[in-house]
C-alpha cells in the first residue's frame, strides 16, 4: 500500500496550535491518474469513431447488428470506466492520533456510544458468533458507562436470546480480564485460537468461555436446555416461553430485554458493565418491515428512548472488533472542530479473516472497501458499507442545515435521557416506537434514519446523506479495526451479489437516480462515483457480449475485430492493456497480490455471466409488477469438507442452481470455440487468418478464467463438483445458442 508522508507539523506551530488529531495527504498518483485519463479518453473517442464508420458502411444486416451490439457494449464499458475515474481524481490518505484526544477532551466528557448489531437467522448466523461480536465491542478501551450495545434479532429466536443471557454473565469476567492483561483481540473465540499467554487466570477464563459456547451450541442443536447446565431460572423461564411461542414471532409483540444495566450490574472487580439490550421488534404480515433498514431504524428509536448517545456504531453480526482503540480513532474526526459542522459518519474498511491464499471468490472486495473509498475521501467522503461505521446521531435527522425532528420529543438527537433503562416510562416508550405500525405516516425511512427503497440500504442511506449535504471520512488504520466472515461457497457469493445488483438498480432507476439527482446534489465526480456502483449490474451486457459473440463468430469463421496488420488493432490493444494494467497496478499498490488480482478479474467475468444477468432480469421483472424472491440471509456456517476444499482453492458448486447454468453454458461455448477456432486457424486460416487473432486471444483468456468450471464438470468426484443436471442443461442451452447464432451469422 502506498505510504504517503505525513503533513509537516513543526515545533514552532506545535506550541501555539491545539494538539493534532488527524492529518490528510493527497496521493502521489493523482497527477499520473489524470494524465492517463486524458489519454484513455482520446482512445475511447477513437474507438467510437471506428464503430460509427463501420455502422455507416455496413453492407449486410449481420454486419450492422454485430457492430451495433459491440457499440452498445463498448458504450456501457466506457460509462463504467468514466464513472470509475471519480475515484482517481483526488485520492487522499488520512492518519489519526488517538493519543492526543485526552489533551482535547476529558475522559468523562467523551460522547456516549450506542452500538447496533443486527442478526436475523440463528441457523445461518450462529448465536455464539453474534455473542463474540458483542463482547468484542463491550470490551473497548472506552469508558464502560458510556457504551450501550443493542442487539436486533429479526429472527425472534429463543436461541439468540439464550446466548446473550449467557454472554451477559460471561462479560462480568471477560471485560476485566481484557483490561488487566491489555488484550488486543477481544473476541474470545479469536483470542483463544491464538498463541495466548498461558496462566491459571487465562485457563479459568478459557474454561468458562468454552463452557458457555458448548451450552449455546447445544441449545441451538437440540432446542432445549440441559438440566446439568448451571443456568439461571430466569433464562430457563424465558427460553421455555419462547420455545412454545415459536421462533418466527410473526404477529407477536415487541420484546425488549435489558440484559445488563450499567446502573446496577458490575463486573467481578466492581466496575460497571456496559448496557446490553436485546430487541426483537414486532413483525406483522400486513405491515412492511423493510429488512435490515427497518431493524436499524427500530434500534435508532429504541436507543434514543433508552440512552440516546450522540455517536452510533453499526456492525454486522459477524464483524467483530479487532482493535479496542477504534472508537478513539473515530473520535479524532468526530471531535475535530474543523469537521463537526457537516461530518455525518466515519467509515472503516471491511476486512476479513479466513480468506484463502488466492481469495478464489474475490470476497475481499478490495476496490469496494479499500481502494475506492480512498478516492471518495478526496471528494465528499466514502459511502456507508453497512458495518464498521460511526454515525453522528444528528446526521440521521435531516441535512446539516435542515434538522428534521422526529414526531416524539424523546427521539430527538439532542434529547437527554436521565432515567434508568428499566424505568417503566422508558420501557413503555421503547416498546411503542418498536411497533410494526409506528412508522406509518412518519418520515422514518424517507427523511429520517436509514432509508427505505433499496435492498442495499447501506449504499442508499449513505448516498442520500451525501445528497443532503453531509460528508464522511475514511479511516484506514494499519491494524484492521474490524474483521468479518466471508461466504465459503460460490452459490452464496453469487446470491449475495445478485441481491446487491438488484438493490443498486433500484437506486439507479429511482427518482433519486445517481446520474441525475446525484450529480445535481453532489457534483459531477461524486455523482459519477455513486453511478459506478448503481449501474454495476448492467455490466452483464458487455460481459455476456464479449463472452459469446466473438466466440460464436469464431465458430462460423467470421472476423469482427481488426486484423493484426490494421492500425486499429493497436487501439484495441491499448484499450485492453491500459484498463487491465491500471487495474492491476492499483490492486497491487494497495497490498494485493497478482494471484488475488487474477481471482478478482475472474469473478468479475463470472458475476457478469450469472448473478448480474439474473439480478438485472429480476429487477426488470419486478419493475413491471411481477413478484420476485425477497431478501435472503447469507449463511455464515461452513462444514468441514467445504472448508478443506476452500483452503485448497477449489471452487464449490455442489448444488444445482440457475446461476451456474449460464456460467457453464458460456464456458462450454468458449472451450469449443477455442478448439475449433485453433484448428481453422492452423489448418485453413487463409486470408482471414489475421482477422481471427483477437477473437482467439479473447476466447483463450476466457477459457483460462473458466478452468474451475471445466474441472468441476470433468475432473472432480467430490461433493463440490458441478451437478450433472446443471452440466446437461448448460450443454443443451449452449447447443441451442450455437444453432441460432449459426443461422443468423451465415
Amino acid at each position: 500500500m502506498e505510504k504517503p508522508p505525513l503533513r509537516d507539523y513543526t515545533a514552532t506551530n506545535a506550541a501555539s496550535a491545539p494538539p493534532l488529531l488527524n492529518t490528510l495527504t493527497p496521493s502521489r498518483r493523482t497527477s499520473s491518474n489524470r494524465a492517463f485519463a486524458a489519454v484513455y479518453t482520446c482512445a475511447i473517442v477513437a474507438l467510437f469513431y471506428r464503430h460509427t464508420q463501420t455502422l455507416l458502411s455496413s453492407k449486410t444486416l449481420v454486419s450492422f447488428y454485430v457492430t451495433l451490439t459491440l457499440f452498445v457494449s463498448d458504450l456501457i464499458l466506457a460509462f463504467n470506466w468514466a464513472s470509475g475515474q471519480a475515484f482517481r481524481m483526488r485520492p487522499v490518505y488520512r492518519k489519526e492520533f488517538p493519543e492526543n484526544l485526552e489533551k482535547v477532551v476529558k475522559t468523562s466528557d467523551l460522547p456516549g456510544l450506542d452500538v447496533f448489531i443486527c442478526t436475523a437467522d440463528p441457523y445461518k448466523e450462529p448465536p455464539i458468533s453474534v455473542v463474540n461480536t458483542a463482547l468484542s465491542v463491550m470490551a473497548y478501551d472506552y469508558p464502560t458507562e458510556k457504551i450501550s450495545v443493542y442487539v436486533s434479532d429479526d429472527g425472534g429466536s429463543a436461541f439468540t436470546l439464550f446466548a446473550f443471557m449467557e454472554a451477559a454473565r460471561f462479560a462480568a469476567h471477560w471485560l476485566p480480564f481484557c483490561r488487566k492483561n491489555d488484550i488486543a483481540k477481544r473476541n474470545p473465540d479469536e483470542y483463544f485460537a491464538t498463541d495466548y499467554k498461558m496462566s491459571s487466570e487465562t485457563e479459568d477464563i478459557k474454561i468458562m468461555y468454552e463452557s458457555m459456547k458448548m451450552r449455546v451450541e447445544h441449545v441451538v442443536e437440540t432446542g432445549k436446555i440441559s438440566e446439568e447446565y448451571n443456568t439461571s431460572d430466569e433464562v430457563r423461564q424465558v427460553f421455555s416461553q419462547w420455545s412454545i411461542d415459536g421462533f418466527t414471532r410473526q404477529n407477536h409483540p415487541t420484546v425488549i430485554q435489558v440484559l445488563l444495566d450499567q446502573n446496577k450490574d458490575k463486573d467481578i472487580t466492581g466496575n460497571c458493565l456496559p448496557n446490553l439490550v436485546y430487541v426483537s421488534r414486532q413483525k406483522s404480515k400486513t405491515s412492511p418491515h423493510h429488512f435490515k433498514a427497518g431493524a436499524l431504524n427500530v434500534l435508532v428509536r429504541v436507543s434514543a428512548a433508552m440512552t440516546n448517545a450522540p455517536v452510533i456504531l453499526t456492525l454486522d453480526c459477524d464483524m467483530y472488533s479487532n482493535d479496542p482503540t477504534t472508537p478513539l480513532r473515530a473520535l479524532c474526526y468526530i471531535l475535530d472542530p474543523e469537521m463537526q459542522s457537516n461530518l455525518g459518519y466515519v467509515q472503516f474498511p471491511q476486512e476479513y479473516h479466513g480468506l484463502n491464499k488466492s481469495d478464489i471468490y474475490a470476497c475481499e472486495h478490495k476496490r469496494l472497501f479499500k481502494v475506492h473509498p480512498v478516492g471518495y475521501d478526496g471528494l465528499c467522503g466514502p459511502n456507508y458499507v453497512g458495518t464498521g461505521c460511526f454515525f453522528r446521531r444528528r446526521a440521521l435527522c435531516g441535512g446539516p442545515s435542515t434538522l428534521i425532528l422526529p414526531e416524539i420529543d424523546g427521539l430527538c438527537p439532542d434529547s437527554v435521557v436521565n432515567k434508568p433503562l428499566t424505568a417503566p416510562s422508558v420501557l413503555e416508550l421503547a416498546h411503542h416506537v418498536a411497533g410494526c405500525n409506528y412508522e406509518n405516516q412518519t418520515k422514518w425511512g424517507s427523511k429520517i434514519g436509514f432509508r427505505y427503497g433499496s435492498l442495499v440500504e447501506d449504499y442508499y442511506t449513505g448516498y442520500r446523506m451525501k445528497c443532503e449535504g453531509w460528508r464522511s471520512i475514511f479511516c484506514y488504520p494499519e491494524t484492521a479495526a474490524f474483521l468479518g466472515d466471508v461466504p465459503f461457497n460460490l452459490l452464496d457469493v453469487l446470491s449475495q451479489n445478485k441481491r446487491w445488483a438488484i438493490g443498486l438498480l433500484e437506486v439507479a432507476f429511482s427518482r433519486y437516480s445517481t446520474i441525475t439527482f446525484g450529480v445535481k446534489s453532489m457534483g459531477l465526480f461524486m455523482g459519477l462515483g455513486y453511478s459506478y456502483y448503481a449501474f454495476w449490474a448492467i455490466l452483464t451486457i458487455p460481459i455476456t457480449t464479449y463472452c459469446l459473440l466473438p466466440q460464436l463468430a469464431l465458430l462460423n469463421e467470421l472476423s469482427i475485430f481488426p486484423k493484426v496488420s490494421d492500425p486499429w488493432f493497436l487501439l484495441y490493444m491499448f484499450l485492453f492493456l491500459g484498463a487491465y494494467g491500471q487495474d492491476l497496478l492499483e490492486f497491487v499498490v494497495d497490498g494485493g497480490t497478482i494471484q488475488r488480482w487474477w481471482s478478482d478479474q475472474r469473478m468479475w467475468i463470472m458475476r457478469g455471466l450469472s448473478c448480474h444477468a439474473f439480478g438485472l432480469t429480476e429487477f426488470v421483472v419486478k419493475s413491471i409488477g411481477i413478484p420476485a424472491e425477497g431478501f435472503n440471509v447469507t449463511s455464515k456456517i461452513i462444514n468441514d469438507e467445504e472448508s478443506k476444499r476452500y483452503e485448497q482453492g477449489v471452487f464449490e458448486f455442489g448444488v444445482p442452481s440457475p446461476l451456474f447454468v449460464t456460467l457453464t453454458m458460456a464456458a462450454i461455448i468458449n472451450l469449443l470455440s477455442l478448439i475449433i477456432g485453433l484448428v481453422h486457424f492452423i489448418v485453413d486460416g487463409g486470408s482471414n487468418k489475421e482477422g481471427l487473432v483477437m477473437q482467439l486471444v479473447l476466447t483463450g483468456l476466457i477459457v483460462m478464467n473458466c478452468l474451475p468450471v471445466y474441472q468441476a464438470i470433468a475432473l472432480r468426484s467430490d461433493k463440490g463438483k458441478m451437478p450433472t443436471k446443471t452440466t446437461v442443461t448448460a450443454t443443451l442451452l449452449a447447443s441451442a445458442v450455437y444453432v441460432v447464432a449459426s443461422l443468423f451469422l451465415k
Side-chain angles (χ1 to χ4, degrees):
M1 176 181 173
E2 179 180 349
K3 297 292 185 182
L6 298 180
R7 179 191 297 167
D8 288 339
Y9 187 65
T10 62
T12 303
N13 59 26
S16 58
L20 195 65
L21 294 180
N22 58 77
T23 58
L24 178 148
T25 307
S27 170
R28 292 190 292 263
R29 298 199 307 271
T30 301
S31 298
S32 59
N33 284 345
R34 295 176 181 180
F36 180 78
V39 174
Y40 202 84
T41 299
C42 294
I44 291 175
V45 171
L47 175 67
F48 285 109
Y49 172 76
R50 180 183 186 275
H51 279 324
T52 303
Q53 271 191 327
T54 307
L55 270 176
L56 295 176
S57 61
S58 296
K59 297 179 180 179
T60 65
L61 281 177
V62 171
S63 174
F64 179 82
Y65 283 119
V66 167
T67 305
L68 182 61
T69 302
L70 293 176
F71 184 95
V72 172
S73 297
D74 288 343
L75 194 63
I76 294 172
L77 288 173
F79 172 76
N80 179 259
W81 178 85
S83 59
Q85 297 315 297
F87 310 120
R88 299 180 174 115
M89 289 299 100
R90 191 178 179 266
V92 298
Y93 294 90
R94 297 183 185 271
K95 184 175 177 61
E96 56 286 338
F97 304 95
E99 64 274 11
N100 287 343
L101 265 180
E102 61 183 14
K103 303 173 185 177
V104 176
V105 59
K106 296 180 181 177
T107 301
S108 59
D109 293 332
L110 290 174
L113 174 64
D114 286 344
V115 183
F116 297 168
I117 301 172
C118 295
T119 184
D121 187 333
Y123 297 104
K124 291 185 176 181
E125 299 169 334
I128 193 63
S129 175
V130 187
V131 159
N132 273 280
T133 296
L135 289 169
S136 70
V137 294
M138 291 168 68
Y140 269 148
D141 284 341
Y142 203 75
T144 52
E145 69 274 10
K146 294 182 179 292
I147 300 177
S148 300
V149 177
Y150 293 85
V151 180
S152 169
D153 179 16
D154 255 12
S157 170
F159 303 151
T160 304
L161 177 58
F162 171 78
F164 273 92
M165 286 181 156
E166 290 290 309
R169 295 198 302 165
F170 177 69
H173 301 267
W174 177 247
L175 270 59
F177 172 76
C178 291
R179 286 195 298 267
K180 177 182 176 182
N181 297 282
D182 195 24
I183 303 300
K185 291 184 178 293
R186 301 192 177 181
N187 171 330
D189 212 50
E190 290 298 316
Y191 174 72
F192 290 120
T194 62
D195 295 327
Y196 57 88
K197 184 178 180 181
M198 297 287 291
S199 69
S200 58
E201 181 187 24
T202 304
E203 288 305 303
D204 289 342
I205 293 290
K206 182 178 180 180
I207 292 171
M208 193 179 303
Y209 170 70
E210 290 182 343
S211 176
M212 177 191 71
K213 181 178 180 180
M214 180 185 67
R215 290 196 297 272
V216 171
E217 291 179 342
H218 180 268
V219 164
V220 173
E221 183 180 349
T222 65
K224 60 182 180 180
I225 301 177
S226 175
E227 292 296 330
E228 64 190 46
Y229 291 163
N230 181 25
T231 304
S232 68
D233 292 337
E234 179 189 11
V235 173
R236 290 182 183 276
Q237 182 179 2
V238 172
F239 186 83
S240 175
Q241 290 174 347
W242 276 46
S243 295
I244 293 172
D245 289 343
F247 301 118
T248 58
R249 301 192 57 76
Q250 292 286 349
N251 296 312
H252 281 240
T254 297
V255 174
I256 298 177
Q257 290 274 335
V258 179
L259 304 177
L260 288 176
D261 183 347
Q262 64 187 26
N263 291 319
K264 61 180 182 180
D265 291 310
K266 309 292 181 182
D267 63 31
I268 58 173
T269 63
N271 293 316
C272 70
L273 287 164
N275 295 321
L276 178 60
V277 182
Y278 172 92
V279 179
S280 179
R281 59 175 170 146
Q282 182 185 21
K283 277 186 172 182
S284 171
K285 293 180 180 179
T286 60
S287 300
H289 56 86
H290 301 292
F291 306 111
K292 185 179 177 181
L296 286 169
N297 278 338
V298 166
L299 292 186
V300 172
R301 296 193 296 270
V302 169
S303 65
M306 304 183 84
T307 50
N308 207 33
V311 180
I312 294 171
L313 166 62
T314 63
L315 278 181
D316 282 346
C317 64
D318 62 328
M319 188 68 64
Y320 66 86
S321 172
N322 188 59
D323 180 1
T325 67
T326 297
L328 302 179
R329 293 186 179 278
L331 291 181
C332 286
Y333 301 104
I334 294 174
L335 298 182
D336 188 335
E338 295 183 5
M339 299 182 180
Q340 281 184 334
S341 63
N342 66 346
L343 178 59
Y345 58 85
V346 177
Q347 177 67 62
F348 287 80
Q350 284 197 39
E351 301 188 66
Y352 301 97
H353 63 104
L355 291 170
N356 62 12
K357 184 178 180 180
S358 57
D359 186 19
I360 56 173
Y361 302 136
C363 288
E364 184 182 17
H365 292 291
K366 183 177 285 291
R367 292 177 195 79
L368 172 62
F369 296 139
K370 296 179 181 179
V371 177
H372 289 171
V374 170
Y376 269 129
D377 207 9
L379 302 173
C380 292
N383 192 33
Y384 170 45
V385 296
T387 185
C389 187
F390 289 80
F391 285 92
R392 288 177 57 200
R393 186 180 289 267
R394 163 65 184 85
L396 296 172
C397 299
S401 58
T402 55
L403 173 64
I404 300 177
L405 294 174
E407 51 292 328
I408 298 177
D409 290 342
L411 303 183
C412 294
D414 58 354
S415 175
V416 177
V417 180
N418 51 19
K419 295 181 181 179
L421 295 183
T422 53
S425 59
V426 171
L427 290 175
E428 181 182 0
L429 177 58
H431 279 81
H432 173 60
V433 299
C436 63
N437 295 317
Y438 176 79
E439 293 181 351
N440 295 346
Q441 309 304 316
T442 70
K443 295 179 181 178
W444 286 94
S446 59
K447 301 288 186 182
I448 303 176
F450 296 85
R451 307 306 162 86
Y452 305 151
S454 171
L455 287 175
V456 284
E457 79 295 323
D458 47 4
Y459 173 90
Y460 190 42
T461 297
Y463 165 62
R464 290 286 302 279
M465 290 176 68
K466 294 290 174 48
C467 291
E468 291 170 354
W470 295 105
R471 73 151 296 138
S472 58
I473 294 294
F474 184 55
C475 186
Y476 189 0
E478 291 186 7
T479 300
F482 303 96
L483 288 174
D485 297 324
V486 292
F488 281 174
N489 71 71
L490 185 59
L491 183 58
D492 279 346
V493 172
L494 296 180
S495 297
Q496 183 185 62
N497 277 266
K498 189 187 84 168
R499 185 175 74 242
W500 292 350
I502 296 170
L504 290 167
L505 287 170
E506 288 172 339
V507 179
F509 293 97
S510 70
R511 60 181 290 199
Y512 297 106
S513 175
T514 55
I515 203 66
T516 53
F517 184 85
V519 170
K520 180 180 178 181
S521 302
M522 300 182 295
L524 177 62
F525 287 123
M526 278 301 290
L528 286 176
Y530 272 92
S531 296
Y532 179 88
Y533 287 106
F535 293 93
W536 198 30
I538 66 171
L539 283 173
T540 186
I541 296 172
I543 290 174
T544 302
T545 296
Y546 279 103
C547 286
L548 293 180
L549 181 57
Q551 293 73 12
L552 293 169
L554 184 61
L555 285 170
N556 290 276
E557 297 186 72
L558 175 65
S559 174
I560 63 174
F561 293 132
K563 294 180 179 181
V564 176
S565 58
D566 190 331
W568 288 110
F569 176 82
L570 297 177
L571 174 68
Y572 276 74
M573 286 296 98
F574 172 75
L575 288 168
F576 176 80
L577 296 176
Y580 265 74
Q582 185 180 40
D583 187 70
L584 172 61
L585 177 65
E586 287 180 339
F587 197 94
V588 173
V589 166
D590 198 71
T593 64
I594 294 178
Q595 194 174 15
R596 286 196 172 186
W597 172 82
W598 178 262
S599 295
D600 189 88
Q601 63 85 34
R602 176 175 58 201
M603 282 303 301
W604 182 76
I605 295 173
M606 287 186 167
R607 286 193 298 262
L609 290 170
S610 56
C611 56
H612 285 177
F614 279 86
L616 179 60
T617 303
E618 188 171 317
F619 170 75
V620 172
V621 167
K622 285 174 63 178
S623 299
I624 60 178
I626 301 175
E629 66 178 83
F631 182 90
N632 291 312
V633 177
T634 304
S635 177
K636 312 299 190 301
I637 297 176
I638 182 172
N639 62 46
D640 292 338
E641 290 186 13
E642 286 184 1
S643 178
K644 184 178 180 181
R645 288 192 289 270
Y646 179 77
E647 288 301 319
Q648 294 172 343
V650 177
F651 272 64
E652 189 72 32
F653 293 94
V655 297
S657 169
L659 292 170
F660 296 155
V661 172
T662 52
L663 176 59
T664 307
M665 177 203 71
I668 292 171
I669 290 175
N670 275 267
L671 182 60
L672 291 177
S673 175
L674 181 63
I675 294 171
I676 296 173
L678 282 173
V679 170
H680 288 163
F681 185 83
I682 295 170
V683 176
D684 57 354
S687 60
N688 198 31
K689 208 168 187 178
E690 280 191 274
L692 299 177
V693 170
M694 282 187 64
Q695 286 162 256
L696 280 170
V697 171
L698 177 62
T699 304
L701 286 173
I702 295 171
V703 166
M704 289 176 64
N705 278 289
C706 289
L707 286 177
V709 178
Y710 305 133
Q711 292 170 350
I713 292 173
L715 302 179
R716 291 170 54 186
S717 58
D718 55 72
K719 293 182 179 179
K721 69 177 182 178
M722 187 72 72
T724 304
K725 179 181 177 181
T726 301
T727 303
V728 171
T729 304
T731 302
L732 293 174
L733 188 58
S735 302
V737 169
Y738 170 70
V739 170
V740 172
S742 297
L743 293 174
F744 176 75
L745 294 173
K746 286 183 177 179

